[in-house]
Amino acid sequence: MEYELHLFIITGIFVILALSLNLVLGYLGQPALGHAAFFAIGAYTSSLLALNAGISPWIGLFIGASFAAISGMIIGHLTFHLKEDYFGLATFGFGLIIYSGINNLTDVTRGPMGLPGIPQFIAFTDLYNSLIFYCILILLFVLITIFLTRRIIYSPFGRVVQSIRDDELAAEALGKDTRQVKIMIFTIGAFFAGIAGSLYAHYITFIDPSSFNVMESILVVLMVILGGMGTIGGPIIGAAVLILFPEMLRFIGIPDAVAAPLRQMIYGFLLVILIIKRPQGLVGKYKLW
Amino acid sequence: MITQATMISQLFINSLIAGSIYSLMAIGFAIIYKTVKFFHFAHGIVYATGAYITYTFFQIHRFDFISSFILAVVSSGLLGLLIYQFVYRTLQVKKAPNLIYLLASFGVFIFIENIIALIYGNQILFMRPLAEASSYSFFGASITLTQIVIIVVSIATLLALWIFIEKTKLGLALKAVADDPQAAQLVGIDSVRLTQVAFFVGSVLAGVAGVLISLETNLSPTMGFPAIFKGIIASIIGGMGSIPGAVVGGFFLGFVENFGIWYIPSIWQDFISFTFLIVFLVLRPSGFFGVIPEKELI
Amino acid sequence: MPFLILENLSKHFDGNLVLDNVSLQLKERELVAMIGPNGSGKTTLFNAISGFLKPDQGKIIFKGIEINNLPPNKIARLGITRSFQRIRLFHQLSVLDNMLLAARYNEGEKLFSALFRTRLIHKEEEENIKKSLEYLSFVGLFDKKDSLGENLSFGQRKLLELAMAFASDADLILLDEPTSGVFPETKAKIIQNIQKLNEDGKTILFIEHDMELVMRLAKRIIVLDHGKLIADGHPDEIVNNEHVLDAYFGKRKSYA
């Protein structure tokens, strides 16, 4: 039972991450390929605050998310004018910079050794109770994320966001300040990614750079595309499938040394096939192209 | 005793080696970009494949090095061609936007990278066909035979490419295609055929780079990733799609990274390169030399 | 004070002068056609007015405000709307959503309003929906209100474009070949709509190749050739103007 609860929590965290990317990728139509960077900023900020300054995770969560949001805003200001693949490359590069930053700033982040002993939100003595608590907490945050995403998207503002995805120039010609809207969405997307990162860190209690590398960014992109961009259900399904699928490999008895590359090989294959054959994903209606 | 002069000549050699490899990557990438106008990210995995195929023939099947090298380089060219035929060609027929190629290219990269990991494992492999011990002195610094071979072969490859581009009909068509898509038709080559040539030639260069670097360092399934990034960064610095620009960009990056160690610890090398990437993308996407002509948007 | 003033506009591309010292003025409520051979700079002029292109030289003054340095979205909000030669709609949004995006008054489009929905915002949205549906019925697209933009026929897209011009409630409307490539009955509808817009008090400048339509609709014609304004006047004067005959009609002098 503990293991199932653990999977539920991890899936929930990735659902938040995928939904946050979906705002940028699915609704705004901007190919952000470095989303793990904001996940990392949220995780490291609140972990370091808790470990070094004794700041409660409850507060650190919002400080971490705010740091992520500010980074998102800065990146937005720098890259809003870049077109599709150039934007993709720039955000991918940003992901690499953050990754190599946390890897190399060993004085602060302990680099590849990682940060152990991150405090949990509430210290339970019983593992089962702790897992139940995290299940409820994560579920709550998933629901908040869904609620806010819907609130933002099903509104005149959300209509503008989607019009930029369809034709930025035409939106501009109708008087929409596309630059401002883009930066807002980058900021909100980064904020929720930061929340996910911080939740992850204070649940697992140990983080190292390997959880935030560029492959992780591509994995989240794959979650959104697989499930279906520009829907709420899509990223949820995508995240669930891609978190639970490796567990299946383990279940049928494939050794870890083989399972890891096998899993990634399948991810790569899936990405190519989806893009060619089914760009709207499993449940999506919006076509990437 | 290491004097400053020795240090400089040592860094010079290191820069030259890095620059050669980056240039080869950047040119291959640029030739392809020039023809198809999208980012062929999977170029990096062609590079890694080149190294692993050489390893397979030379180290496992005990072929002589020259034959292994030639087999590997030709296979790299064919791999590039296959990626074009099976993935990009389908997308071209459906008139996909640029971003789609980039995502598909990531997919291909991850797919092949992990096939390599499944076959050869994640551990680091070595391949040393040349006598390690023989080293020569170069202005106080020492240079190994392997390093000389890397530099000489790179320069020879660059020269061969230059002759191909300037002196053959196919090469001239490749050179002209970016400025004028009709140019290919003028010399009687259809555009699909020309794209195939671009992928083959570009991928051969990646193969050469992959083999050369694994003589000096080692092989690992993830080796393609930094390589393609250095290639892209060098291409962007030199001006996207410009072949001479790619050479200059490659050597520039090689020198900046290596001489940067004077000021910044070497672990920050990647950080510096990626920052360069963002700075150029944001501020000067046309590179040092390229000029993006102002065009009417609508 | 004239409604729109263009003063000595010039623009180079790769050393070619695409706009060569163009000056002209439009009065409020005018219905003006712009003609000229392909590549004469007509669309470039539209791009300059709507802010998608910064002129190298010259000034554009709209309702007394200098707009040549403003971004396109600000210019649009001052009351200039434009259509594009290659129709640009939001293909994966519904026809009604397309209309609502064009609506001039849209406080609800702020992020704040999305998060905290006041009664006022709801009212505004309802009002916009009501108006949009009216315009859609007027151009004959009411039945299509829930279809996606991409599912419209070419002629329907052209009509939607016009309906959006209505919804934008802009004071100056720039139309780039509003009837090119449509069937005769759609064309008749489009003409009727343009006249309606003009009667409602809108100033309209349109690019058109169909001379019959130009003669029927416009009360003033502007002729561009090689980026230069070579004639400007009443349709009767224009068809007899020698420069125009040379540049535009070529040898087909029999037309006049």
Side-chain angles (χ1 to χ4, degrees), chain C residues 103-117:
Chain C
R104 180 161 184 176
Y105 300 101
N106 234 328
E107 281 300 304
E109 284 182 355
K110 298 203 167 88
L111 175 60
F112 185 83
S113 324
L115 293 174
F116 307 97
R117 299 172 180 184

Side-chain angles (χ1 to χ4, degrees), chain A:
Chain A
M1 188 62 190
E2 275 86 357
Y3 193 61
E4 283 81 356
L5 291 176
H6 167 75
L7 285 180
F8 180 85
I9 294 165
I10 293 293
T11 304
I13 290 171
F14 275 88
V15 165
I16 299 173
L17 191 58
L19 282 170
S20 73
L21 177 67
N22 187 37
L23 273 176
V24 182
L25 180 65
Y27 290 111
L28 186 65
Q30 299 295 310
L33 304 182
H35 214 57
F38 304 117
F39 190 54
I41 292 171
Y44 269 91
T45 307
S46 74
S47 302
L48 288 170
L49 286 173
L51 289 170
N52 299 337
I55 290 175
S56 149
W58 296 104
I59 298 166
L61 176 74
F62 290 99
I63 301 179
S66 305
F67 270 40
I70 292 167
S71 327
M73 196 194 291
I74 293 169
I75 282 298
H77 270 285
L78 291 174
T79 59
F80 73 91
H81 64 287
L82 296 176
K83 294 287 162 252
E84 31 173 329
D85 47 353
Y86 278 82
F87 177 84
L89 209 59
T91 46
F92 195 73
F94 174 68
L96 285 163
I97 287 177
I98 294 297
Y99 173 74
S100 102
I102 54 179
N103 225 338
N104 295 335
L105 277 174
T106 40
D107 294 345
V108 185
T109 63
R110 292 174 32 100
M113 313 231 295
L115 294 173
I118 302 165
Q120 297 210 318
F121 285 95
I122 298 174
F124 285 91
T125 45
D126 179 51
L127 176 65
Y128 184 76
N129 285 344
S130 166
L131 285 169
I132 293 288
F133 163 74
Y134 272 99
C135 279
I136 295 167
L137 182 74
I138 299 292
L139 189 62
L140 199 69
F141 272 101
V142 169
L143 291 176
I144 293 173
T145 312
I146 293 175
F147 172 77
L148 285 175
T149 305
R150 290 182 58 97
R151 191 96 183 156
I152 289 168
I153 292 309
Y154 299 113
S155 75
F157 175 76
R159 200 161 53 217
V160 176
V161 173
Q162 294 175 75
S163 77
I164 294 173
R165 171 188 71 193
D166 273 14
D167 192 333
E168 190 178 337
L169 222 61
E172 188 77 20
L174 290 178
K176 314 303 173 204
D177 192 341
T178 57
R179 168 195 156 138
Q180 197 191 5
V181 173
K182 277 168 133 180
I183 292 170
M184 278 176 180
I185 293 294
F186 293 152
T187 310
I188 299 169
F191 180 85
F192 283 109
I195 293 265
S198 178
L199 289 171
Y200 176 81
H202 294 288
Y203 166 63
I204 301 282
T205 70
F206 170 79
I207 51 172
D208 69 353
S210 73
S211 309
F212 309 100
N213 62 20
V214 287
M215 190 53 215
E216 211 70 11
S217 292
I218 300 295
L219 177 66
V220 189
V221 170
L222 187 58
M223 285 173 178
V224 176
I225 295 179
L226 171 68
M229 301 194 310
T231 58
I232 305 275
I236 298 177
I237 293 174
V241 170
L242 291 183
I243 293 296
L244 299 179
F245 163 74
E247 303 305 321
M248 262 167 49
L249 288 185
R250 188 177 301 185
F251 187 72
I252 56 175
I254 294 173
D256 276 359
V258 178
L262 184 64
R263 189 182 76 211
Q264 300 215 351
M265 188 188 93
I266 294 170
Y267 289 168
F269 185 73
L270 212 56
L271 188 55
V272 177
I273 291 299
L274 277 171
I275 276 174
I276 296 177
K277 296 286 180 201
R278 204 175 161 79
Q280 72 272 42
L282 294 174
V283 301
K285 54 178 198 271
Y286 170 67
K287 295 186 204 73
L288 187 56
W289 59 288

Side-chain angles (χ1 to χ4, degrees), chain C residues 134-151:
Chain C
E134 267 170 36
Y135 295 133
L136 281 178
S137 340
F138 186 76
V139 301
L141 282 178
F142 184 83
D143 298 341
K144 293 280 170 193
K145 66 180 179 355
D146 298 318
S147 315
L148 293 188
E150 64 184 358
N151 296 333

Side-chain angles (χ1 to χ4, degrees), chain B residues 235-242 245-246 280 284-293:
Chain B
S235 279
I236 288 177
I237 292 175
M240 278 307 286
S242 154
F280 270 91
R284 210 168 155 70
S286 56
F288 273 144
F289 311 104
V291 179
I292 296 182

Side-chain angles (χ1 to χ4, degrees), chain B residues 79-278:
Chain B
L79 177 63
L81 203 55
L82 273 176
I83 296 174
Y84 171 68
Q85 283 307 115
F86 282 101
V87 181
Y88 301 142
R89 184 86 200 100
T90 324
L91 294 171
Q92 271 184 335
V93 171
K94 296 191 190 176
K95 300 204 185 326
N98 275 3
L99 165 68
I100 295 304
Y101 292 99
L102 181 65
L103 287 174
S105 197
F106 272 120
V108 171
F109 186 101
I110 297 167
F111 181 65
I112 301 176
E113 179 184 275
N114 288 287
I115 291 180
I116 295 176
L118 282 172
I119 298 174
Y120 298 91
N122 268 321
Q123 72 273 30
I124 287 167
L125 301 174
F126 292 92
M127 169 167 73
R128 293 284 180 268
L130 300 166
E132 288 269 357
S134 43
S135 79
Y136 307 85
S137 156
F138 174 84
F139 291 103
S142 76
I143 180 166
T144 64
L145 182 60
T146 306
Q147 291 174 327
I148 295 175
V149 168
I150 293 176
I151 295 171
V152 170
V153 174
S154 302
I155 292 173
T157 311
L158 292 181
L159 278 176
L161 180 75
W162 183 69
I163 292 169
F164 168 72
I165 286 182
E166 294 296 331
K167 304 291 169 193
T168 68
K169 209 169 81 171
L170 218 51
L172 284 168
L174 267 187
K175 198 171 104 170
V177 71
D179 312 316
D180 178 10
Q182 307 300 316
Q185 267 92 336
L186 291 180
V187 288
I189 307 159
D190 78 0
S191 65
V192 173
R193 181 55 44 84
L194 192 69
T195 312
Q196 289 166 339
V197 172
F199 269 89
F200 185 80
V201 174
S203 304
V204 162
L205 295 175
V208 172
V211 179
L212 290 180
I213 197 68
S214 50
L215 298 179
E216 168 84 355
T217 58
N218 50 48
L219 292 88
S220 79
T222 54
M223 66 189 283
F225 189 77
I228 181 57
F229 255 97
K230 300 303 161 68
I232 292 179
I233 296 168
S235 279
I236 288 177
I237 292 175
M240 278 307 286
S242 154
I243 295 170
V247 182
V248 178
F251 280 102
F252 175 81
L253 188 63
F255 275 86
V256 167
E257 273 190 356
N258 282 287
F259 278 88
I261 296 174
W262 278 91
Y263 306 100
I264 305 163
S266 64
I267 50 164
W268 290 98
Q269 243 179 20
D270 283 351
F271 189 90
I272 300 171
S273 325
F274 297 134
T275 309
F276 255 97
L277 172 70
I278 304 250

